Amino acid sequence: MTDSKYFTTTKKGEIFELKSELNSDKKEKKKEAVKKVIASMTVGKDVSALFPDVVNCMQTDNLELKKLVYLYLMNYAKSQPDMAIMAVNTFVKDCEDSNPLIRALAVRTMGCIRVDKITEYLCEPLRKCLKDEDPYVRKTAAVCVAKLYDISPSMVEDQGFLDQLKDLLSDSNPMVVANAVAALSEINEASVSGHPLVEMNAPTINKLLTALNECTEWGQVFILDALSNYSPRDAREAHSVCERITPRLAHANAAVVLSAVKVLMKLMEMLSDETELVGTLSRKLAPPLVTLLSAEPEVQYVALRNINLVVQKRPDILKHEMKVFFVKYNDPIYVKLEKLDIMIRLASQANIAQVLGELKEYATEVDVDFVRKAVRAIGRCAIKVEPSAERCVSTLLELIQTKVNYVVQEAIVVIKDIFRKYPNKYESIISTLCENLDTLDEPEARASMVWIVGEYAERIDNADELLDSFLEGFHDENAQVQLQLLTAVVKLFLKRPADTQELVQHVLSLATQDSDNPDLRDRGFIYWRLLSTDPAAAKEVVLADKPLISEETDLLEPTLLDELICHISSLASVYHKPPTAFVEGRGAGVRKSLPARGTVSEDTQPQLQTVIPNQESLIGDLLSMDIGGPPAPAAPAAPASNLDLLAGGLDVLLGGPEPAATATTATGSATGLLGDIFGAVPPASYVPPKQCWLPADKGKGLEIWGTFTRQNGQMRMEMTFTNKAMQAMSGFAIQLNKNSFGVFPGGALAVGALAPGAAADAPLALAAAGPVQRMDPLNNLQVAVKNNIDVFYFACLIPAHILFTEDGQLDKRVFLTTWKEIPAANEVQHTISNVLGTADSIAQKMTLNNIFTIAKRNVEGQDMLYQSLKLTNNIWVLLELKLQPGNPEATLSLKSRTVEVATCIFQAYEAIIKS
Amino acid sequence: MIHSLFIINPSGDVFLEKHWRSVIPRSVCDYYLEAQRASPNDVPPVLAAPHHYLISIQRGGVALVAVSKQEVAPLFVIEFLHRVVDTFQDYFSDCTETIIKENYVVVYELLDEMLDNGFPLATESNILKELIKPPNILRTIANTVTGKSNVSSILPSGQLSNVPWRRSGVKYANNEAYFDVIEEVDAIIDKSGATVSAEIQGYIDCCIKLSGMPDLTLTFVNPRLFDDVSFHPCVRFKRWESERILSFIPPDGNFRLMSYHIGSQSVVAIPIYVRHNLTLRNNGDQGRLDLTVGPKQTMGRTLENVALEICMPKCVLNCSLTANQGKYSYDPVSKVLLWDIGRIELPKLPNIRGSVSVASGADTSGANPSINVHFTIPQLAVSGLRVSRLDMYGAKYKPFKGVKYVTKAGKFHVRM
């Protein structure tokens, strides 16, 4: 008697058969029929047609039957909302049942039925259940609040369920507390405003810590995760929290252990390194982390990704545990690669011999990816642990002797890095490398080899022959090999001019005349010019000392690392990306940061409510922003004197364009130049009229009018500075405060001195990957402008449309599914009056502003435009514009996972449509 | 939290889906299947699809794929999925496609009981068993006759007590408490026989059938041996910290009381050695293999169930060997040589030797296989751990007590 019997069908058709069985008088037959329906549902068959018949079975004393019907309801109620109403009465009645199991089951199931009409009836029973005498019912009801929030956040807030949930945090039963914490965390995370709805304070934390010891393992995970969001007031409190959490490290559940590690790593930041506790904690953290590595491979993988973070933040914790990261030959490949990464991070002079021995062993394994990474790791060890470099090099040489093709190629790539780190030290091995020249077929390896030949041309007798042999197939080479070849030959020529003139001419002509790769041509022309004008200067440029490469090439950036430490055990820690980067709809979410040592910031987010900021708060921010100058441009490798030479020389080659135009790299003039070239300005995106941002009376005579534009994917602030004072102004600089979209200056402010009465246009290129801080309104931008007189502050609104990117066009299908997937709660409507023009002209206008029309439909005389756009911070926004011919009012509906952006998008949309 | 669960068979069919929130189309599993096609045995446990995250485990030939739409702790999901499989095994004695299909309804009821809205609800086996009775033939027949069901209509007593792992009212005619101390030796031995790394992964598994609410204390002779310990929730951590004893009210039946790790601080005894000699290029296309196995640091105990598994280099076509003990087999497709030795009786040392045929002209350099060694040593905990005594409080009867020690090979590799 197995359940597979539920799948046998008869000729009459399954559904028909089931229908009659469901309506049978016999209880037993009914139950069997419902079981059959459930079995079909589990394999994904559509049995929604049986809805009324199944719901009819709901009124029963048999709990199993009731449960089965509920299972069915959860799956199909959404597709039959009107029918689902039929079930409401039974639910409400069950919520009053004397059996707590039934009360809990009813409230649980009701929460799973995502039908608005049912939700209305849920409120009263839920309120009762949250106060139920039985803890089982209360804990189920707590979860139900989270379900309800998912369906209708406003209802949860309006009905006061949040407060009831908060009360449950002090419940006498630890399981209820744990579930209340879980529900609250989820609600906080989903919160539309991005701000946590419930703040943790010391008494709550105390209650949580008490519940922690008594609740289930899953409850412990929830509580620990909630604790990780709390910052204790001082080191003493941190100390006591640490002590109460440490026992969790000995839990059998890996998730509990890792969550405890997260809280401890965060709190350790608050304790000064000298305290005894930090030492004790460091010692206590190591063993459980090591133990995670003997669990199932999936657990190992997640643990290793997190250990990678721990090791970067606090290398001491695991410095003696190198051996546990040694790779077993039957580890899954994803575990092997992670272990290798950590081995390199832990490598030090004390253990390097062991590590190298292992790496050498791995380099002879079967899996190609793993072998490559092992070879690369040897190179990284050489760079990281200086005294071991010689050993690493000889290990690499041994590997090259194996002649295994991909090993040799990988070895040559890393040897190039070793040469750069330790110049003039290991050149004796070059001859060995040259022997393998013919076997290299990967671009990176070939490019590395060519670089080595060029760099050490004076020591390789037949360097010219070697390079010449590469030149034969020049056009078939990969671009990076071509570039290296060009440079190598020029180096060779500068070192041995006597016999290589022909070679260099050959390569220059290959690069400049026969190639259509702009990089290659440009580099060719520059070398050519250099060589023909001033070989001595050429030597200075081409053979200049190179900056040494850094020790650790792949460390995470410290601020990101700190943020990730706060997210240990989460998906973010597995991807090593901040949650904002990959969890949708969290563009404006709260970023977590490690608490400061000794003190705690009272408020992580300064509240800046008004558009015109309070001076003090802004100054504080701006002071730390280095207002003095624009971001330093990347230092050119060549000495400054060569700039002249480059500019002066090129005109001959290029047939004499303006030297200044070629030499300048300021993006500021780029559009002007393009405009000139094309003769006419192409149809432009909407530019709002300039507004007065800083009146002269507030700017001590400096008046600033400005607007924002977007052209060719470049955002820009177009400002006009007018000097209405009696004295000349100079030394202009500009800074933008952190803002919601991370907009920051992409270049310097190109305004020179300004004589009294004079005005100057000041375009400022903008980029959008800067630090983010939520502003109110969202598109508020605070600006500081400095000149020789003073620093002035003002605020302006960024019109949203300049943030629309050029790749905001969604595929039709994707648009459709995304539209459906975004919950209705995330839809906002807006009416635009006085709309002129037809749907087509509007669509055209919108396209110029990067609002892309995906489809156009005509429904019952109305024109519908479906449009998509993407903001610079990767928030997708879907729009639906409803137009009625003859009616000047249009309705714009917006759907987005981050619905906060709606207001500013509506403003921009309306401005564009009326432009 | 977990939004949906899909169970997939090796041929890539989704044969069970369960949604705890809105329905996620099963097409989301394509991302998993794609990764599986790329590397069938090494699917990364965490995969990102455009709008979802897929966290999966593979056990018993099926893959469990949990889908989440939001940030979630992956370990939490992985631990939960393993718990799901444990529960299925507990209920149906196995977790295979056929068994799940045979018990669809119970499986579905179980899943619904284990998770609510993505939050774990009841995962303790004793609570689940009170809510949903495991199927057996007798009960099925009885239910058919009496019209009763497998589903309990009363709230399990343990659900909210502060010992949720134990049900109340347990009664046995024979009261017994058995402890198995199992130690697994994980080691890497290099070519020359030196130990590269060695550690012990230990477990104490219990089978406890005691009436009432017994309160047990387990004392070790040498409790300072452990480098790291993790306990079943029933163990009182405070007493371990202060007195180094295990004090607990046990769950009923079989469970893992404690697992421990020894290795980073102390030297681990290696109980076996393998002398190996593999030459692939000897004369023509023939190579030679010679292996001898013997005991080492076994404290006088016998090695049993010894087996060697060697994944030979790709160039090896076949092996023709003679063993003085046990049987061997070679699979030319997977290139795995398996030598099942059994017990090692001194003074005779098991040996296998003979020729291996190598593909002509194949590259034999750089191929160095690894030997995977299996063994068990009964009545020995290789770390030297010993239980000193077991005391019981809170019950009047005198139980049978027993401790058994066994040492096994874990991931024990010898490099050739």
Side-chain angles (χ1 to χ4, degrees), chain A residues 868-889:
Chain A
S868 74
L869 62 93
K870 192 175 112 183
L871 292 171
T872 46
N873 53 2
N874 292 329
I875 295 177
W876 283 95
V877 178
L878 311 184
L879 298 164
E880 180 203 75
L881 182 71
K882 215 183 283 179
L883 284 168
Q884 243 168 336
N887 184 348
E889 281 199 359

Side-chain angles (χ1 to χ4, degrees), chain A residues 3 43 99 136 291 571 582, chain B residues 26 53 71 102 153 159 228:
Chain A
D3 293 353
V43 286
N99 184 344
Y136 182 74
T291 300
L571 278 171
F582 68 99
Chain B
R26 58 167 63 186
Y53 294 91
E71 173 68 84
E102 278 175 8
S153 58
Q159 179 94 332
D228 185 41

Side-chain angles (χ1 to χ4, degrees), chain A residues 639-650:
Chain A
S641 67
N642 285 324
L643 278 174
D644 256 2
L645 188 144
L646 286 174
L650 275 170

Side-chain angles (χ1 to χ4, degrees), chain A residues 181-354:
Chain A
V181 168
L184 275 176
S185 311
E186 182 160 293
I187 290 174
N188 276 345
E189 196 153 309
S191 138
V192 194
S193 62
H195 287 289
L197 295 169
V198 181
E199 294 288 350
M200 295 287 174
N201 52 24
T204 337
I205 292 298
N206 232 330
K207 281 170 201 153
L208 294 187
L209 285 168
T210 315
L212 180 65
N213 292 324
E214 293 163 28
C215 64
T216 66
E217 50 204 305
W218 315 111
Q220 297 188 9
V221 176
F222 297 141
I223 293 184
L224 286 169
D225 284 349
L227 285 175
S228 75
N229 289 333
Y230 172 70
S231 296
R233 284 157 302 180
D234 49 34
R236 220 171 45 107
E237 196 187 350
H239 192 119
S240 86
V241 175
C242 280
E243 280 187 337
R244 294 177 72 174
I245 284 174
T246 322
R248 296 302 118 208
L249 292 175
H251 202 286
N253 186 318
V256 177
V257 175
L258 205 55
S259 291
V261 170
K262 161 164 64 181
V263 183
L264 292 175
M265 282 296 287
K266 194 178 163 189
L267 293 180
M268 276 165 84
E269 278 306 294
M270 290 189 65
L271 307 165
S272 70
D273 279 338
E274 295 81 51
T275 47
E276 204 184 322
L277 185 65
V278 172
T280 322
L281 283 177
S282 296
R283 271 193 306 281
K284 281 191 175 167
L285 278 171
L289 288 173
V290 169
T291 300
L292 290 179
L293 297 182
S294 49
E296 295 86 357
E298 299 95 4
V299 177
Q300 282 186 46
Y301 171 74
V302 178
L304 284 164
R305 290 297 284 172
N306 282 286
I307 288 173
N308 202 323
L309 297 173
V310 173
V311 166
Q312 287 188 54
K313 184 72 193 167
R314 293 184 177 268
D316 283 353
I317 291 181
L318 287 164
K319 67 178 173 201
H320 298 303
E321 304 289 351
M322 173 61 94
K323 280 186 178 176
V324 298
F325 299 102
F326 285 177
V327 172
K328 308 245 164 55
Y329 85 94
N330 49 2
D331 281 336
I333 181 72
Y334 55 81
V335 168
K336 283 184 177 174
L337 295 176
E338 291 306 318
K339 280 189 173 174
L340 202 52
D341 213 43
I342 296 171
M343 280 174 68
I344 305 164
R345 294 199 194 284
L346 289 177
S348 66
Q349 207 177 333
N351 56 25
I352 193 73
Q354 255 186 333

Side-chain angles (χ1 to χ4, degrees), chain A residues 86-100:
Chain A
M86 286 165 45
V88 165
N89 248 335
T90 323
F91 279 130
V92 176
K93 216 177 88 204
D94 281 357
C95 286
E96 308 273 332
D97 199 282
S98 59
N99 184 344

Side-chain angles (χ1 to χ4, degrees), chain A residues 33-90:
Chain A
V34 178
K35 280 191 178 178
K36 280 184 203 173
V37 173
I38 299 287
S40 305
M41 193 172 84
T42 49
V43 286
K45 269 189 209 163
D46 184 19
V47 282
S48 58
L50 295 165
F51 199 89
D53 308 279
V54 177
V55 171
N56 273 337
C57 304
M58 193 171 162
Q59 289 255 10
T60 170
D61 304 334
N62 185 317
L63 191 66
E64 186 178 21
L65 184 56
K66 199 183 266 289
K67 274 190 173 180
L68 292 172
V69 175
Y70 281 179
L71 282 178
Y72 179 89
L73 270 176
M74 287 186 221
N75 244 20
Y76 287 116
K78 188 134 205 211
S79 57
Q80 312 247 351
D82 296 331
M83 291 289 213
I85 289 291
M86 286 165 45
V88 165
N89 248 335
T90 323

